[in-house]
Amino acid sequence: MKKANMPAQQKSLQIIPLGGLGEVGRNMMLLEYEDNVLIIDAGVGFPQEDMPGVDFIIPSIDYLKKGGKLQKKILGLVITHGHYDHIGAIPYLLGKIGNPHVFASPLTKAIILRRQEDFPNQPKLNISIVNPKDKIELGPFKLEFFAQVHNIPDTLGIFISTPVGNIVHTGDFKFDQNPIYSPPTDFASLEEMGKRNVSLLMSDSTGAEEFGHSFSEEVIMKNLEEIFKNAKGRIIAATFSSLINRVQQIIALSEKYGRKVAIDGYSMRTNVEISKKLGYIKSQKNTLIKPAQIADLPDQKVTFLGTGAQGEESAVLMRIVNREHRFIRIKKGDSIIFSSSVIPGNERTVQVLKDELYRQGAKVFHYKMMDIHAGGHAQRDELKRMIEIIRPKFFMPIHGQFSMLFNHAEVAESCGLPKENVIVAENGQIIILGQKSISLSKRTVESNLVMVDGLGVGDVGEVVLRDRQNLSKDGMFVVIVVVDRMTGKVRNSPDIISRGFVYLKESKELLYNTRKRVVGIVEKAAGSGGAVNWIYVKDEIRNKVGDFLYAKTERRPMILPVVIEV
Ligand SMILES: [Zn+2]
């Protein structure tokens, strides 16, 4: 591949974030050298509040694939850990980019394969297991994996030797000397890397706006234990199904306090199954029970574990609160644990959910220290320490909203890195790393949000979304007119169907005047006989009826004119 007559120092490496920079989630990063592309992570993001009906968002691969043809040589996909914001887009993207080889730790691999079963039409994945200290070579890149502590076991960081210098990609991490069920942070490995002349450090920014040090899993465990100690009734815990450490803690505490654990929800059950099989979740023989069995136990012997701390519509907690769950209703004395933080954008939904839980008699525990973000990600003191250990020449904050990236960049500068050596980039920008320089290219690549709604991937675009937004704001208004082709006269009175705009039964006058206007518009255009431009007529109805309704109601429903010639 390499042309021998070209001196290597003239070439540079391109780093291209396709997702995860300027947002929490949807992580995907490309490293490109001479058209060879290494991909790190392929995650989903959660839709924002202005995306009604969208299940989640994934990165765009337009840069890798144009007109059905791969533009680059893809060397492989390396996954840092099993959270959905790092693996969730795999079933949607991999088949489209030639099903490249995947490298992941044992638990991550198991979670990816389990999820892939839900997509039977996708090609079989080729996944190789990698463990800390393993080395692999992919084209011009030499990768070495190292263990990181996060809130899911088997999390990896990556040391990457490239022709222009060494890069450290932290993945998601926190520094924890007392994690509950995994080895503590491997400072020896980090320090060893710090001695190897690291050119660029790319580090997790999710916790960069929080001062101090993240809570150790041990502290989180103690806080959880307080709840278990004091709970008289049932404990209902809601968390992400991928927050394996938290699930394990809840199981262990339940055993300690004589409770059985009913695990509910498909994703939660399968993740627990996988983790148990690989030994990442341990439980005694009779601890785990089926949700139906809780009815046979006294309240103080029950822990109910499910998803839904984000207020997700179809999650277990939501079904319980809406009284749609088959086996459980909230009752006085229940203790509800929200054990994951609110993803930006979901705050209101979660607040409504909490209020409703209190209304139904439960007590809600929602400690910030149990948050997935605050709990799983390094905060300023740790981020600073990471930079001081790795001692990179250049620094680039990754994973987080823009404010998080910005704050992380400030941390780097406070460690003595010159401002020009710190790059704050966003999705779609191209970062050019040379042997002695780093810069942002003026060029950008396609990095728009690809929306997934049910079975559709990418078919909900700007237009569909705008329609949904309008419909959700002011509703819709359908006008059906039957026109006599021969005379150009409107037959009968136009029909009006409306949803979400006004209550028709109470708006007789408005409808009467609207109909009158519609007849006027149509007959003016069609009454003269000859060829009639019906597109023009429909536009006229849309505009004039729209203006009229706005004048009367100050609302702008979506107007759908239907003209039928007979
Ligand atoms: Zn994570």
Side-chain angles (χ1 to χ4, degrees):
M1 287 300 286
K2 233 182 222 168
K3 291 178 199 101
N5 55 350
M6 281 240 282
Q9 63 263 30
Q10 288 185 0
K11 289 175 202 136
S12 55
L13 176 80
Q14 301 195 77
I15 300 165
I16 307 171
L18 291 181
L21 272 66
E23 62 188 332
V24 168
R26 210 170 61 110
N27 298 293
M28 186 164 173
M29 168 84 78
L30 310 180
L31 298 190
E32 180 174 348
Y33 188 79
E34 293 182 314
D35 272 354
N36 291 294
V37 172
L38 173 72
I39 308 174
I40 302 172
D41 290 335
V44 295
F46 289 92
Q48 279 126 41
E49 279 175 343
D50 60 355
M51 299 177 184
V54 174
D55 299 333
F56 38 75
I57 50 178
I58 58 174
S60 164
I61 48 162
D62 284 5
Y63 174 69
L64 295 172
K65 192 177 185 179
K66 277 258 154 59
K69 219 178 146 263
L70 269 184
Q71 304 292 307
K72 310 280 171 189
K73 181 167 182 242
I74 297 173
L75 303 167
L77 166 64
V78 182
I79 302 290
T80 55
H81 64 287
H83 282 156
Y84 275 22
D85 52 342
H86 296 257
I87 64 159
I90 289 176
Y92 299 102
L93 300 184
L94 244 59
K96 290 188 183 141
I97 53 171
N99 200 21
H101 208 102
V102 181
F103 299 87
S105 62
L107 178 64
T108 309
K109 175 182 175 178
I111 295 174
I112 293 171
L113 287 180
R114 181 62 211 73
R115 179 168 157 82
Q116 198 74 4
E117 287 171 19
D118 299 340
F119 298 81
N121 298 324
Q122 290 303 313
K124 199 171 165 295
L125 298 175
N126 305 303
I127 309 184
S128 295
I129 286 185
V130 285
N131 283 301
K133 307 215 188 300
D134 280 358
K135 297 177 185 176
I136 57 172
E137 200 169 332
L138 294 170
F141 304 112
K142 292 195 186 83
L143 284 70
E144 293 174 46
F145 298 92
F146 58 94
Q148 289 278 44
V149 178
H150 186 33
N151 46 27
I152 181 167
D154 255 8
T155 296
L156 299 171
I158 320 165
F159 184 97
I160 310 162
S161 305
T162 82
V164 301
N166 294 331
I167 297 177
V168 170
H169 185 295
T170 64
D172 282 354
F173 79 101
K174 65 171 172 178
F175 286 157
D176 197 340
Q177 298 288 62
N178 301 300
I180 297 291
Y181 303 105
S182 62
T185 298
D186 182 2
F187 283 109
S189 283
L190 291 174
E191 268 150 24
E192 188 267 329
M193 283 187 274
K195 293 182 187 135
R196 290 165 64 188
N197 205 3
V198 173
S199 174
L200 172 67
L201 171 64
M202 296 194 277
S203 186
D204 174 18
S205 310
T206 319
E209 288 180 291
E210 310 290 332
F211 286 87
H213 198 290
S214 67
F215 290 99
S216 161
E217 290 295 305
E218 192 184 34
V219 176
I220 296 171
M221 185 78 162
K222 280 195 184 124
N223 281 296
L224 277 173
E225 180 153 11
E226 279 307 302
I227 303 171
F228 274 80
K229 220 185 266 171
N230 297 318
K232 302 269 181 312
R234 302 177 301 183
I235 288 177
I236 300 171
T239 186
F240 280 112
S241 61
S242 60
L243 205 42
I244 305 296
N245 291 10
R246 208 67 71 245
V247 172
Q248 168 71 85
Q249 288 169 330
I250 287 164
I251 291 173
L253 286 169
S254 296
E255 286 174 343
K256 185 168 174 187
Y257 288 88
R259 290 172 183 265
K260 304 280 181 201
V261 184
I263 294 178
D264 195 34
Y266 176 71
S267 58
M268 186 68 89
R269 261 202 318 271
T270 49
N271 275 350
V272 168
E273 234 167 71
I274 292 168
S275 307
K276 262 188 77 116
K277 213 155 116 202
L278 293 171
Y280 291 109
I281 285 184
K282 295 184 178 71
S283 66
Q284 291 156 16
K285 209 169 146 230
N286 298 317
T287 303
L288 303 184
I289 57 170
K290 293 203 165 67
Q293 292 172 274
I294 60 167
D296 309 330
L297 292 167
D299 289 350
Q300 70 275 18
K301 300 264 177 233
V302 172
T303 300
F304 199 88
L305 182 58
T307 53
Q310 295 297 314
E312 306 99 306
E313 244 168 82
S314 56
V316 171
L317 190 56
M318 208 55 146
R319 277 187 282 132
I320 298 175
V321 167
N322 292 338
R323 301 183 174 85
E324 288 162 358
H325 198 281
R326 271 177 70 199
F327 303 115
I328 185 166
R329 296 273 181 281
I330 297 295
K331 62 181 182 189
K332 211 168 155 38
D334 286 346
S335 300
I336 318 290
I337 305 174
F338 277 62
S339 181
S340 56
S341 77
V342 183
I343 290 172
N346 289 347
E347 292 89 350
R348 233 175 348 166
T349 318
V350 172
Q351 184 58 49
V352 170
L353 179 61
K354 273 160 74 173
D355 286 343
E356 193 48 39
L357 285 164
Y358 274 108
R359 223 168 258 137
Q360 295 181 16
K363 204 167 170 193
V364 179
F365 297 88
H366 197 180
Y367 288 143
K368 203 160 192 254
M369 56 195 66
M370 293 192 297
D371 285 2
I372 184 171
H373 296 312
H377 298 268
Q379 296 177 196
R380 285 181 92 119
D381 286 357
E382 294 149 89
L383 296 172
K384 192 161 181 267
R385 189 158 170 212
M386 178 63 100
I387 295 166
E388 285 166 354
I389 294 174
I390 300 296
R391 294 182 294 164
K393 187 170 170 53
F394 304 113
F395 179 76
M396 180 171 136
I398 57 171
H399 301 172
Q401 301 287 142
F402 192 79
S403 62
M404 298 165 184
L405 304 179
F406 184 90
N407 277 281
H408 201 180
E410 277 193 345
V411 172
E413 284 162 36
S414 80
C415 295
L417 268 90
K419 210 177 175 64
E420 60 275 15
N421 287 13
V422 178
I423 291 273
V424 179
E426 287 201 83
N427 294 336
Q429 289 192 302
I430 302 175
I431 299 94
I432 300 172
L433 182 65
Q435 282 181 330
K436 294 197 170 72
S437 65
I438 191 165
S439 61
L440 268 180
S441 164
K442 289 199 172 61
R443 276 188 318 126
T444 56
V445 312
E446 187 74 67
S447 67
N448 52 358
L449 309 171
V450 176
M451 287 171 261
V452 179
D453 180 6
L455 294 177
V457 180
D459 58 350
V460 176
E462 287 294 309
V463 177
V464 174
L465 200 62
R466 207 172 334 117
D467 284 351
R468 285 186 186 179
Q469 287 162 354
N470 288 342
L471 284 169
S472 69
K473 262 187 235 137
D474 290 325
M476 65 165 198
F477 195 87
V478 185
V479 183
I480 304 167
V481 206
V482 181
V483 185
D484 188 315
R485 196 187 313 236
M486 304 303 285
T487 64
K489 295 276 174 220
V490 172
R491 281 203 192 167
N492 307 324
S493 178
D495 267 334
I496 287 172
I497 304 165
S498 166
R499 290 287 180 278
F501 168 55
V502 292
Y503 190 46
L504 294 184
K505 279 193 177 141
E506 285 169 5
S507 315
K508 288 218 169 83
E509 199 191 324
L510 182 71
L511 295 184
Y512 172 79
N513 287 322
T514 306
R515 285 197 185 93
K516 225 165 80 179
R517 253 150 230 271
V518 171
V519 172
I521 294 163
V522 175
E523 293 189 345
K524 190 173 163 222
S528 52
V532 178
N533 181 348
W534 291 112
I535 294 173
Y536 167 78
V537 174
K538 283 189 201 167
D539 279 346
E540 281 285 289
I541 295 174
R542 204 175 287 126
N543 295 335
K544 293 210 163 123
V545 170
D547 289 346
F548 174 69
L549 294 178
Y550 184 75
K552 294 288 177 197
T553 64
E554 292 202 9
R555 296 176 201 174
R556 290 205 179 277
M558 178 186 292
I559 294 169
L560 303 170
V562 180
V563 180
I564 303 167
E565 285 180 89
V566 291

